[in-house]
Amino acid sequence: MEALVDVPGVDLTVRLADPVWLSDTARLEAWRELRRARNRLDAALCRLVEVIDRDRSFEAGESPTVTSWLVAEGESARAARAAVATARALPEMPVTAESFEKGDLDVPRVRLLVDAKDVAPDLFARDEAVLVDTIGGLGAADARRAL
């Protein structure tokens, strides 16, 4: 399998051998690596939304807000609002943003951290590195409980 994205500013190629021919352990490792790649793509999309919002690029798409532009592009209203909130929060969350960009955090965990920052910004700023390190190694339900 191969997916190639060829648009200005994006360089992405993903190659995966047909999983039928992979060993069990190779399949598991391929899944982990593709998940990390997906996390990095989600981080790149989030950064792009942040810049589109900041520079008001959505106006070129004849939308009044970045959220309405995302909805016009096919996102649900809920997903669009969450994406914008996350994109706006991450510039003030350097440890979270770095871990997201490396693929170590997925969108649900990043959103948990955004929510934690919104609830207690001073405590979050002080403890961000510990929180990122803690929830990065937990399952989804445990990550929610930890925060």
Side-chain angles (χ1 to χ4, degrees):
M1 286 186 232
E2 182 172 334
L4 177 63
V5 177
D6 186 20
V7 294
V10 178
D11 179 15
L12 170 69
T13 302
V14 176
R15 290 185 182 91
L16 174 65
D18 187 338
V20 170
W21 302 109
L22 296 176
S23 69
D24 291 341
T25 55
R27 289 176 190 150
L28 300 178
E29 186 57 30
W31 184 89
R32 289 183 195 104
E33 286 305 312
L34 286 173
R35 184 169 189 256
R36 286 179 55 80
R38 181 187 65 199
N39 293 346
R40 291 191 304 267
L41 284 171
D42 286 339
L45 284 168
C46 190
R47 173 73 172 123
L48 190 55
V49 168
E50 188 256 323
V51 173
I52 288 168
D53 184 35
R54 183 194 67 210
D55 294 349
R56 302 186 63 82
S57 301
F58 54 84
E59 291 175 345
E62 300 182 9
S63 292
T65 67
V66 67
T67 303
S68 63
W69 177 77
L70 287 167
V71 170
E73 291 296 314
E75 296 291 323
S76 71
R78 182 178 182 184
R81 285 190 302 273
V84 172
T86 302
R88 288 177 177 168
L90 279 176
E92 298 172 8
M93 302 169 68
V95 178
T96 303
E98 180 182 355
S99 187
F100 193 24
E101 290 166 6
K102 290 186 334 189
D104 295 336
L105 289 176
D106 58 10
V107 170
R109 285 172 181 76
V110 170
R111 290 195 179 135
L112 285 171
L113 290 163
V114 169
D115 291 344
K117 177 191 157 298
D118 290 345
V119 169
D122 294 335
L123 289 174
F124 182 85
R126 185 191 74 192
D127 297 333
E128 180 181 10
V130 172
L131 293 171
V132 168
D133 187 50
T134 299
I135 73 162
L138 297 176
D142 290 335
R144 279 190 294 280
R145 280 192 293 276
L147 292 178

